[in-house]
Amino acid sequence: MPVELSYVQAVILGIVEGLTEFLPISSTGHLTIAEQLLGLPVRAPAVTAYTAIIQIGAIAATFIYFARTIARLAVAWFRGLTTPAAREEHDYRLAWAVIVGSIPVGIVGFLLKDVISGPLRSLWVVAGALVLWSAVIWVAEQRHDVLVKQGTQRGEGQVTVVDGLVIGLVQCFSLIPGVSRSGATISAGLLRGIDRVTATRLSFFMAIPALTAAGLFELVDARHDLAVLGVGQMLVGILVAFVTAYASIAWLLRFVATNSLRPFVWYRVALGVLLVVALAAGWVSAT
């Protein structure tokens, strides 16, 4: 059936995307909930594509916020390709960690595209993932506390390519709505013994190739479906997502410097339980 998206709905979805993309609470899960509440057909190709494409705003926010760091890593990586001495620099290793860590989610996302945009787009899945992955975040924070007491955490200069690969593999779980890409990557970083701020920054860096690829792929693959929603609505959603995502990045980096992720765990569990109640009572539809 035809899908109509108003500018008000575009703004709401842009705000939801920007606020939740980098917080460990699942942007896809929140967008799925928001789309249901707005009366949009969650599994419609146009709606699924729109969800991915407005991530471009969040990507742009990441590029601008970390522009200097991204440029520094890019220079170090290119220098390392031609200069053996440069390969000893930690920026070169960090750049490779980000590159290697970004590959698994791209492969899995491509192979399971139909599953991700189909059966997994259910609020039952979102509710379950919100609650279950909260346990992983909690365990990661417990390990973080132990390592802090031991004084054995590793910083950005000690991140290895193996760290990047492990975090990248765990990032694949974020393809399940409700898990959260940042929740998966930050948790993996903490479990690898990386300090919380560094793990969060790594999560942002790995978001760039993952979200860029997803957004561009959907833009090309579903260009005819998106025409139904309207170019204006799409641009509004991207712009709103950019502004709110930029603010979200700045806030989260300040927050994790002195706080744990446990408040997000309680929020995730509460939302997941509330969602189960709403689904069981028939207040909202799962798809």
mmCIF file of all heavy atoms in Angstrom, residues 207-244:
data_model
loop_
_atom_site.group_PDB
_atom_site.id
_atom_site.type_symbol
_atom_site.label_atom_id
_atom_site.label_comp_id
_atom_site.label_asym_id
_atom_site.label_seq_id
_atom_site.Cartn_x
_atom_site.Cartn_y
_atom_site.Cartn_z
ATOM 1 N N ALA A 207 31.476 3.565 13.375
ATOM 2 C CA ALA A 207 30.143 3.893 12.877
ATOM 3 C C ALA A 207 30.219 4.499 11.480
ATOM 4 O O ALA A 207 29.308 4.319 10.669
ATOM 5 C CB ALA A 207 29.453 4.874 13.822
ATOM 6 N N ILE A 208 31.308 5.199 11.194
ATOM 7 C CA ILE A 208 31.411 5.931 9.930
ATOM 8 C C ILE A 208 31.303 5.019 8.709
ATOM 9 O O ILE A 208 30.414 5.204 7.868
ATOM 10 C CB ILE A 208 32.704 6.772 9.894
ATOM 11 C CG1 ILE A 208 32.630 7.862 10.970
ATOM 12 C CG2 ILE A 208 32.901 7.391 8.513
ATOM 13 C CD1 ILE A 208 33.910 8.656 11.135
ATOM 14 N N PRO A 209 32.174 4.011 8.558
ATOM 15 C CA PRO A 209 32.034 3.144 7.368
ATOM 16 C C PRO A 209 30.756 2.322 7.389
ATOM 17 O O PRO A 209 30.130 2.117 6.338
ATOM 18 C CB PRO A 209 33.282 2.245 7.437
ATOM 19 C CG PRO A 209 33.768 2.339 8.839
ATOM 20 C CD PRO A 209 33.374 3.691 9.338
ATOM 21 N N ALA A 210 30.349 1.856 8.580
ATOM 22 C CA ALA A 210 29.150 1.006 8.664
ATOM 23 C C ALA A 210 27.899 1.781 8.264
ATOM 24 O O ALA A 210 27.093 1.309 7.447
ATOM 25 C CB ALA A 210 28.995 0.463 10.087
ATOM 26 N N LEU A 211 27.725 2.961 8.825
ATOM 27 C CA LEU A 211 26.526 3.747 8.535
ATOM 28 C C LEU A 211 26.558 4.348 7.133
ATOM 29 O O LEU A 211 25.524 4.461 6.469
ATOM 30 C CB LEU A 211 26.358 4.862 9.576
ATOM 31 C CG LEU A 211 26.171 4.412 11.029
ATOM 32 C CD1 LEU A 211 25.923 5.619 11.933
ATOM 33 C CD2 LEU A 211 25.037 3.419 11.152
ATOM 34 N N THR A 212 27.756 4.731 6.680
ATOM 35 C CA THR A 212 27.882 5.283 5.327
ATOM 36 C C THR A 212 27.489 4.238 4.289
ATOM 37 O O THR A 212 26.713 4.518 3.367
ATOM 38 C CB THR A 212 29.318 5.759 5.057
ATOM 39 O OG1 THR A 212 29.668 6.772 6.004
ATOM 40 C CG2 THR A 212 29.438 6.328 3.646
ATOM 41 N N ALA A 213 28.018 3.029 4.443
ATOM 42 C CA ALA A 213 27.708 1.958 3.490
ATOM 43 C C ALA A 213 26.224 1.638 3.494
ATOM 44 O O ALA A 213 25.599 1.483 2.439
ATOM 45 C CB ALA A 213 28.523 0.706 3.837
ATOM 46 N N ALA A 214 25.636 1.540 4.701
ATOM 47 C CA ALA A 214 24.211 1.211 4.808
ATOM 48 C C ALA A 214 23.350 2.296 4.173
ATOM 49 O O ALA A 214 22.401 2.007 3.436
ATOM 50 C CB ALA A 214 23.825 1.026 6.275
ATOM 51 N N GLY A 215 23.687 3.548 4.455
ATOM 52 C CA GLY A 215 22.898 4.659 3.921
ATOM 53 C C GLY A 215 22.971 4.766 2.413
ATOM 54 O O GLY A 215 21.953 4.924 1.738
ATOM 55 N N LEU A 216 24.181 4.655 1.850
ATOM 56 C CA LEU A 216 24.349 4.767 0.405
ATOM 57 C C LEU A 216 23.724 3.578 -0.320
ATOM 58 O O LEU A 216 23.120 3.737 -1.390
ATOM 59 C CB LEU A 216 25.837 4.868 0.059
ATOM 60 C CG LEU A 216 26.542 6.148 0.522
ATOM 61 C CD1 LEU A 216 28.017 6.110 0.145
ATOM 62 C CD2 LEU A 216 25.875 7.384 -0.062
ATOM 63 N N PHE A 217 23.865 2.388 0.258
ATOM 64 C CA PHE A 217 23.274 1.199 -0.360
ATOM 65 C C PHE A 217 21.760 1.331 -0.441
ATOM 66 O O PHE A 217 21.152 1.045 -1.477
ATOM 67 C CB PHE A 217 23.649 -0.052 0.445
ATOM 68 C CG PHE A 217 23.079 -1.318 -0.122
ATOM 69 C CD1 PHE A 217 23.697 -1.967 -1.183
ATOM 70 C CD2 PHE A 217 21.906 -1.864 0.382
ATOM 71 C CE1 PHE A 217 23.176 -3.135 -1.724
ATOM 72 C CE2 PHE A 217 21.361 -3.023 -0.144
ATOM 73 C CZ PHE A 217 22.000 -3.668 -1.197
ATOM 74 N N GLU A 218 21.164 1.776 0.651
ATOM 75 C CA GLU A 218 19.707 1.932 0.672
ATOM 76 C C GLU A 218 19.267 3.045 -0.273
ATOM 77 O O GLU A 218 18.216 2.967 -0.903
ATOM 78 C CB GLU A 218 19.212 2.218 2.085
ATOM 79 C CG GLU A 218 19.276 1.035 3.031
ATOM 80 C CD GLU A 218 18.275 -0.053 2.681
ATOM 81 O OE1 GLU A 218 17.437 0.152 1.774
ATOM 82 O OE2 GLU A 218 18.331 -1.125 3.292
ATOM 83 N N LEU A 219 20.072 4.094 -0.361
ATOM 84 C CA LEU A 219 19.731 5.228 -1.231
ATOM 85 C C LEU A 219 19.636 4.778 -2.680
ATOM 86 O O LEU A 219 18.733 5.187 -3.413
ATOM 87 C CB LEU A 219 20.781 6.323 -1.089
ATOM 88 C CG LEU A 219 20.510 7.638 -1.834
ATOM 89 C CD1 LEU A 219 19.219 8.277 -1.348
ATOM 90 C CD2 LEU A 219 21.672 8.591 -1.669
ATOM 91 N N VAL A 220 20.560 3.925 -3.100
ATOM 92 C CA VAL A 220 20.565 3.425 -4.476
ATOM 93 C C VAL A 220 19.520 2.327 -4.654
ATOM 94 O O VAL A 220 18.757 2.323 -5.630
ATOM 95 C CB VAL A 220 21.967 2.889 -4.847
ATOM 96 C CG1 VAL A 220 21.935 2.232 -6.223
ATOM 97 C CG2 VAL A 220 22.987 4.010 -4.820
ATOM 98 N N ASP A 221 19.479 1.394 -3.705
ATOM 99 C CA ASP A 221 18.615 0.218 -3.829
ATOM 100 C C ASP A 221 17.134 0.568 -3.778
ATOM 101 O O ASP A 221 16.305 -0.080 -4.430
ATOM 102 C CB ASP A 221 18.964 -0.788 -2.728
ATOM 103 C CG ASP A 221 18.283 -2.125 -2.935
ATOM 104 O OD1 ASP A 221 18.406 -2.680 -4.044
ATOM 105 O OD2 ASP A 221 17.620 -2.608 -1.994
ATOM 106 N N ALA A 222 16.790 1.583 -2.976
ATOM 107 C CA ALA A 222 15.369 1.895 -2.782
ATOM 108 C C ALA A 222 15.004 3.290 -3.274
ATOM 109 O O ALA A 222 14.064 3.905 -2.773
ATOM 110 C CB ALA A 222 15.012 1.754 -1.301
ATOM 111 N N ARG A 223 15.721 3.773 -4.281
ATOM 112 C CA ARG A 223 15.485 5.142 -4.756
ATOM 113 C C ARG A 223 14.051 5.344 -5.263
ATOM 114 O O ARG A 223 13.475 6.422 -5.095
ATOM 115 C CB ARG A 223 16.490 5.508 -5.845
ATOM 116 C CG ARG A 223 16.486 4.591 -7.060
ATOM 117 C CD ARG A 223 17.663 4.896 -7.979
ATOM 118 N NE ARG A 223 17.684 4.047 -9.159
ATOM 119 C CZ ARG A 223 18.159 2.819 -9.175
ATOM 120 N NH1 ARG A 223 18.644 2.299 -8.068
ATOM 121 N NH2 ARG A 223 18.163 2.111 -10.290
ATOM 122 N N HIS A 224 13.455 4.309 -5.850
ATOM 123 C CA HIS A 224 12.086 4.449 -6.360
ATOM 124 C C HIS A 224 11.075 4.450 -5.214
ATOM 125 O O HIS A 224 10.084 5.185 -5.249
ATOM 126 C CB HIS A 224 11.786 3.320 -7.346
ATOM 127 C CG HIS A 224 12.694 3.284 -8.529
ATOM 128 N ND1 HIS A 224 12.817 4.341 -9.399
ATOM 129 C CD2 HIS A 224 13.555 2.321 -8.956
ATOM 130 C CE1 HIS A 224 13.701 4.033 -10.336
ATOM 131 N NE2 HIS A 224 14.162 2.821 -10.090
ATOM 132 N N ASP A 225 11.332 3.650 -4.192
ATOM 133 C CA ASP A 225 10.452 3.632 -3.027
ATOM 134 C C ASP A 225 10.512 4.953 -2.277
ATOM 135 O O ASP A 225 9.506 5.456 -1.769
ATOM 136 C CB ASP A 225 10.853 2.491 -2.069
ATOM 137 C CG ASP A 225 10.625 1.124 -2.690
ATOM 138 O OD1 ASP A 225 9.554 0.922 -3.268
ATOM 139 O OD2 ASP A 225 11.518 0.279 -2.602
ATOM 140 N N LEU A 226 11.707 5.538 -2.208
ATOM 141 C CA LEU A 226 11.869 6.786 -1.467
ATOM 142 C C LEU A 226 11.154 7.945 -2.152
ATOM 143 O O LEU A 226 10.752 8.904 -1.499
ATOM 144 C CB LEU A 226 13.357 7.110 -1.322
ATOM 145 C CG LEU A 226 14.111 6.215 -0.326
ATOM 146 C CD1 LEU A 226 15.603 6.439 -0.445
ATOM 147 C CD2 LEU A 226 13.638 6.499 1.085
ATOM 148 N N ALA A 227 11.023 7.854 -3.454
ATOM 149 C CA ALA A 227 10.326 8.919 -4.178
ATOM 150 C C ALA A 227 8.902 9.064 -3.670
ATOM 151 O O ALA A 227 8.317 10.150 -3.708
ATOM 152 C CB ALA A 227 10.337 8.620 -5.671
ATOM 153 N N VAL A 228 8.348 7.962 -3.167
ATOM 154 C CA VAL A 228 6.988 7.988 -2.628
ATOM 155 C C VAL A 228 6.933 8.825 -1.352
ATOM 156 O O VAL A 228 5.953 9.524 -1.081
ATOM 157 C CB VAL A 228 6.501 6.546 -2.336
ATOM 158 C CG1 VAL A 228 5.118 6.558 -1.707
ATOM 159 C CG2 VAL A 228 6.494 5.727 -3.622
ATOM 160 N N LEU A 229 7.994 8.743 -0.548
ATOM 161 C CA LEU A 229 8.011 9.469 0.727
ATOM 162 C C LEU A 229 8.248 10.965 0.523
ATOM 163 O O LEU A 229 7.804 11.773 1.329
ATOM 164 C CB LEU A 229 9.105 8.903 1.636
ATOM 165 C CG LEU A 229 8.936 7.438 2.078
ATOM 166 C CD1 LEU A 229 10.100 7.038 2.974
ATOM 167 C CD2 LEU A 229 7.618 7.251 2.812
ATOM 168 N N GLY A 230 8.975 11.323 -0.494
ATOM 169 C CA GLY A 230 9.241 12.733 -0.755
ATOM 170 C C GLY A 230 10.666 13.126 -0.447
ATOM 171 O O GLY A 230 11.181 12.811 0.639
ATOM 172 N N VAL A 231 11.325 13.800 -1.382
ATOM 173 C CA VAL A 231 12.709 14.240 -1.197
ATOM 174 C C VAL A 231 12.802 15.253 -0.065
ATOM 175 O O VAL A 231 13.739 15.229 0.738
ATOM 176 C CB VAL A 231 13.247 14.859 -2.505
ATOM 177 C CG1 VAL A 231 14.653 15.418 -2.277
ATOM 178 C CG2 VAL A 231 13.271 13.824 -3.620
ATOM 179 N N GLY A 232 11.825 16.151 0.004
ATOM 180 C CA GLY A 232 11.829 17.165 1.053
ATOM 181 C C GLY A 232 11.800 16.544 2.438
ATOM 182 O O GLY A 232 12.561 16.944 3.338
ATOM 183 N N GLN A 233 10.929 15.567 2.645
ATOM 184 C CA GLN A 233 10.832 14.902 3.937
ATOM 185 C C GLN A 233 12.140 14.192 4.284
ATOM 186 O O GLN A 233 12.573 14.192 5.443
ATOM 187 C CB GLN A 233 9.679 13.892 3.940
ATOM 188 C CG GLN A 233 8.296 14.530 3.904
ATOM 189 C CD GLN A 233 7.800 14.744 2.491
ATOM 190 O OE1 GLN A 233 8.570 15.054 1.592
ATOM 191 N NE2 GLN A 233 6.497 14.573 2.282
ATOM 192 N N MET A 234 12.771 13.593 3.267
ATOM 193 C CA MET A 234 14.025 12.886 3.501
ATOM 194 C C MET A 234 15.130 13.859 3.917
ATOM 195 O O MET A 234 15.883 13.600 4.864
ATOM 196 C CB MET A 234 14.453 12.137 2.237
ATOM 197 C CG MET A 234 15.696 11.290 2.420
ATOM 198 S SD MET A 234 16.020 10.246 0.972
ATOM 199 C CE MET A 234 16.322 11.502 -0.282
ATOM 200 N N LEU A 235 15.221 14.989 3.246
ATOM 201 C CA LEU A 235 16.239 15.982 3.568
ATOM 202 C C LEU A 235 16.023 16.574 4.964
ATOM 203 O O LEU A 235 16.979 16.821 5.704
ATOM 204 C CB LEU A 235 16.241 17.096 2.517
ATOM 205 C CG LEU A 235 16.704 16.680 1.121
ATOM 206 C CD1 LEU A 235 16.591 17.857 0.149
ATOM 207 C CD2 LEU A 235 18.139 16.167 1.165
ATOM 208 N N VAL A 236 14.765 16.789 5.320
ATOM 209 C CA VAL A 236 14.446 17.304 6.659
ATOM 210 C C VAL A 236 14.890 16.302 7.723
ATOM 211 O O VAL A 236 15.496 16.669 8.742
ATOM 212 C CB VAL A 236 12.936 17.593 6.798
ATOM 213 C CG1 VAL A 236 12.557 17.798 8.274
ATOM 214 C CG2 VAL A 236 12.564 18.825 5.994
ATOM 215 N N GLY A 237 14.587 15.023 7.483
ATOM 216 C CA GLY A 237 14.977 13.994 8.429
ATOM 217 C C GLY A 237 16.485 13.928 8.611
ATOM 218 O O GLY A 237 16.988 13.789 9.730
ATOM 219 N N ILE A 238 17.226 14.030 7.510
ATOM 220 C CA ILE A 238 18.694 13.983 7.561
ATOM 221 C C ILE A 238 19.237 15.183 8.332
ATOM 222 O O ILE A 238 20.149 15.051 9.172
ATOM 223 C CB ILE A 238 19.279 13.953 6.140
ATOM 224 C CG1 ILE A 238 18.948 12.623 5.464
ATOM 225 C CG2 ILE A 238 20.785 14.176 6.163
ATOM 226 C CD1 ILE A 238 19.344 12.550 4.002
ATOM 227 N N LEU A 239 18.700 16.372 8.069
ATOM 228 C CA LEU A 239 19.169 17.589 8.734
ATOM 229 C C LEU A 239 18.906 17.537 10.239
ATOM 230 O O LEU A 239 19.787 17.856 11.051
ATOM 231 C CB LEU A 239 18.480 18.815 8.129
ATOM 232 C CG LEU A 239 18.833 20.168 8.767
ATOM 233 C CD1 LEU A 239 20.328 20.431 8.630
ATOM 234 C CD2 LEU A 239 18.028 21.287 8.131
ATOM 235 N N VAL A 240 17.709 17.131 10.604
ATOM 236 C CA VAL A 240 17.364 17.045 12.028
ATOM 237 C C VAL A 240 18.235 15.994 12.716
ATOM 238 O O VAL A 240 18.716 16.200 13.834
ATOM 239 C CB VAL A 240 15.871 16.705 12.201
ATOM 240 C CG1 VAL A 240 15.555 16.432 13.670
ATOM 241 C CG2 VAL A 240 15.006 17.849 11.683
ATOM 242 N N ALA A 241 18.464 14.873 12.035
ATOM 243 C CA ALA A 241 19.313 13.815 12.594
ATOM 244 C C ALA A 241 20.740 14.321 12.800
ATOM 245 O O ALA A 241 21.383 13.992 13.796
ATOM 246 C CB ALA A 241 19.313 12.602 11.669
ATOM 247 N N PHE A 242 21.217 15.146 11.871
ATOM 248 C CA PHE A 242 22.573 15.703 11.983
ATOM 249 C C PHE A 242 22.710 16.569 13.241
ATOM 250 O O PHE A 242 23.649 16.404 14.031
ATOM 251 C CB PHE A 242 22.902 16.541 10.743
ATOM 252 C CG PHE A 242 24.110 17.425 10.923
ATOM 253 C CD1 PHE A 242 25.380 16.891 10.860
ATOM 254 C CD2 PHE A 242 23.956 18.785 11.182
ATOM 255 C CE1 PHE A 242 26.502 17.697 11.044
ATOM 256 C CE2 PHE A 242 25.065 19.592 11.364
ATOM 257 C CZ PHE A 242 26.340 19.051 11.298
ATOM 258 N N VAL A 243 21.794 17.482 13.418
ATOM 259 C CA VAL A 243 21.864 18.410 14.556
ATOM 260 C C VAL A 243 21.790 17.664 15.886
ATOM 261 O O VAL A 243 22.600 17.886 16.799
ATOM 262 C CB VAL A 243 20.735 19.460 14.475
ATOM 263 C CG1 VAL A 243 20.727 20.328 15.730
ATOM 264 C CG2 VAL A 243 20.905 20.327 13.233
ATOM 265 N N THR A 244 20.824 16.766 15.996
ATOM 266 C CA THR A 244 20.646 16.046 17.262
ATOM 267 C C THR A 244 21.786 15.047 17.494
ATOM 268 O O THR A 244 22.193 14.826 18.639
ATOM 269 C CB THR A 244 19.292 15.315 17.289
ATOM 270 O OG1 THR A 244 19.143 14.527 16.099
ATOM 271 C CG2 THR A 244 18.152 16.301 17.377
#
